[in-house]
Each structure stands twice: as structure tokens, then as C-alpha cells.
Amino acid sequence: MTEHLVDPRAPRDLKAFVAGLPKAELHVHHVGSASPRIVSELAARHPDSKVPTDPAALVDYFSFTDFAHFIEVYLSVVDLIRTPEDVRLLTFEVARDLARQQVRYAELTITPFSSTRRGIDERAFMDAIEDARKAAEADFGTVLRWCFDIPGEAGLEAAEETTRLATDDRLRPEGLVSFGLGGPEVGVPRPQFKPYFDRAIAAGLHSVPHAGETTGPQTVWDALTHLRAERIGHGTSSAQDPKLLAHLAEHRIPLEVCPTSNIATRAVRTLDEHPIKEFAEAGVLVTINSDDPPMFGTDLDNEYAVAARLLDLDERGVADLAKNAVEASFLDAAGKTRIKEEIDTYTTGWLDR
Ligand SMILES: O=C(O)c1cccc(C(=O)CC[C@H]2O[C@@H](n3cnc4c(=O)[nH]cnc43)[C@H](O)[C@@H]2O)c1
Ligand SMILES: [Zn+2]
């Protein structure tokens, strides 16, 4: 909620175009999407927490000194989600916020380990997210899918538990499409998670680890080689390795770029130093995402406005970015065609107005 991160330089007309543009969101965290209203409601329910109940105080609370501080604060919000009803409410409200931004399809990263280890029954957890997913599709028309991620710093116990929850046929939710790895990267080498990714991939899930957000390009190579990554979460440091950029472009491995997140966690110093342009110029498929939007004082529309400025795009260029996300998603071919056609119809209508 660092309000200064909202980019005031985006032209008003382009902002209006982005606001109505049908979009797909591929990198957004479940708990990290809790709006100030939801966070303060949960904090009021659980007064033993250190999370402020006043939405204005959350602005300061969500101001991070570095990535480790961000994770510390993130986990204090995780601690507010204590019952299946909390899970359902959060999931449905996140879908409402996505629908307001014309998000037609979202892959939401969920960390089931963090909830089950805090005592939420695993069956009730799965039922809560699935119930919210179905209600969101019926009420808002937004299609939600899940990525279950391992919180890497919590170790191999968390990896085992996440893999079990993602691959057990009796538990695995219908909306689950992919398997990820999140949390800090420093001191958490990717290769150790290979056996867990192997099992998830064998069970039909796509591999989408975070890599190169807070460590160098070798972490991205490791994610590709050991975890068979099909997309990379962030991949920011890939810009330091021209061979890696060429590999990502040649093999059409998309990057899930989240510009404001990288500034808020201090992974990148300023927006103007963000390597997004280097990615695009190297031919890498760039997708635009919001990561933990209320915590970073942003939303997906703002991320598109930021990207448009950094990449010097007009409406057609922004529409192409939106189509990149649809193309890089795990939707079926018919679903991809439907949203891409909607993007084209909207863009033509806007330019002809
Ligand atoms: O839940 C626990 O008990 C636990 C114990 C030790 C470590 C962890 C984590 O590290 C959880 C990390 C948490 O952060 C999520 N997240 C949200 N945004 C990002 C991001 O930009 N980069 C990496 N991780 C992120 C992630 O999904 C995990 O849920 C937890
Ligand atoms: Zn993330």
C-alpha cells in the first residue's frame, strides 16, 4: 500500500483504455491480494494480531525495508486467516477486485501449507477455495485457477506437504493447474525441490516457480533445468545474462513481470531501472502482473500503465501485452481465443470511437 508507487505519469486516456481492457492475471498471491478492507476486517476479528485495524495505518505497515521485511509482514497477514470462512471470504473478495479490473482469467498463487500448518482442516480449505471459485465465476464471470506454491524457506517438510495436497486425488481441487515455489530465494537453492516438482508435473501440473527475483540469473537457470519451469515468476535478474535471455526467447518461456512489486521489495531500485525493456527487446514473452497488489499500493491496471510507459507503448502495444498473458496462461485453446478476440474487439472499438 505504498501509495507513491501508483504511477502518476500515465496519460489519462491510456489509463481509461487499460481500465476497460479485458485482461488475464498470471502472478498474484492469494493472501497478498487481501484488500485493506478485508485485512482490517480480519484484524478486528483477531485483536491479538499486530496488523493494524485502521486501513490508513496499513499504508505505513505495508512499507517494506527489504524483501525479508516484506515476508515478515506478509506472514503476519497469513496469521489472520484462521478459519475456512476466512479463506472463502478472502478468495471471493479477491475475485471481486479482479473482476472490477476486467480480469477475465486469473491464476491465483495459494500457499496451502501456511494454512494447514496453522490448523485449518485441509478438506475444509479446499472446499472453501473451490466454493469461492465457482461463486466468483457465476457472479462475476471471472475464471479462477490455482497455483499451489511451496514456501521454500519453510523447508522440505513444506515441500512434501504442498506436493501431497496438490497431487492427492481425494484432495486436489478441480481448479488447480500449476505448482510453484515462493518466499525468499537467498539460502533456498532451487535444485533441492526437483523431486517435488517431478511429482507435481507427473500429476499433470504446470511448473511456475519464482526465480531471479532476489538472486541472480543462475537461480533462473536452476528453475529451468531442475524444476522444468514453463514460466518464471519475476525472473528480474535474467537481464544480467544475455544467454539466458536468448534461451527464454527461443524456448518461449514467459516471464511474469511485476514491476511495482520489485520496487516495493527493493529488488530493483527504481522503475526507470527496471529491466522490462531489455526483456522485450530480447524477444522474451513479457506478461504483466501485480503480485501482492494492496501490499504494494498497486493493481493490475496500474502495472499495465507502468509497463506502457517503460516500454513506450500505445493502445495496440498494451493490447498485445494483454494478449501475451492470455497466450502464456494455462487456459485451453478455445478459452485463449475467446479472450484474445475480446481484447481485439475492445481495442478496435476504442480506437474507432
Ligand atoms: O507459512 C509459514 O509457516 C512459513 C514459514 C516459513 C517461511 C514462509 C514463507 O517464506 C512464505 C512466503 C510467502 O510469500 C508469498 N509471496 C508473496 N509474494 C511473493 C513474492 O513476490 N516472492 C516470493 N514469495 C511471495 C509466497 O507465496 C509464500 O506464501 C512461510
Ligand atoms: Zn510472487
Side-chain angles (χ1 to χ4, degrees), residues 254-312:
L255 293 184
E256 300 160 2
V257 177
C258 312
T260 300
S261 159
N262 298 146
I263 310 308
T265 63
R266 306 192 188 231
V268 175
R269 234 163 45 88
T270 65
L271 277 177
D272 290 322
E273 289 167 85
H274 198 284
I276 185 170
K277 194 153 189 166
E278 286 155 79
F279 298 156
E281 284 172 355
V284 177
L285 193 76
V286 167
T287 69
I288 301 301
N289 304 279
S290 63
D291 211 9
D292 303 285
M295 293 188 179
F296 300 146
T298 191
D299 59 21
L300 188 59
D301 287 352
N302 185 57
E303 296 309 287
Y304 271 86
V306 167
R309 183 173 69 76
L310 297 179
L311 297 173
D312 197 18

Side-chain angles (χ1 to χ4, degrees), residues 27-29 109 182 210 213 233-234 256 258 261 291-292:
H27 188 127
V28 61
H29 294 260
T109 296
H210 286 64
E213 178 185 19
H234 297 278
E256 300 160 2
C258 312
S261 159
D291 211 9
D292 303 285

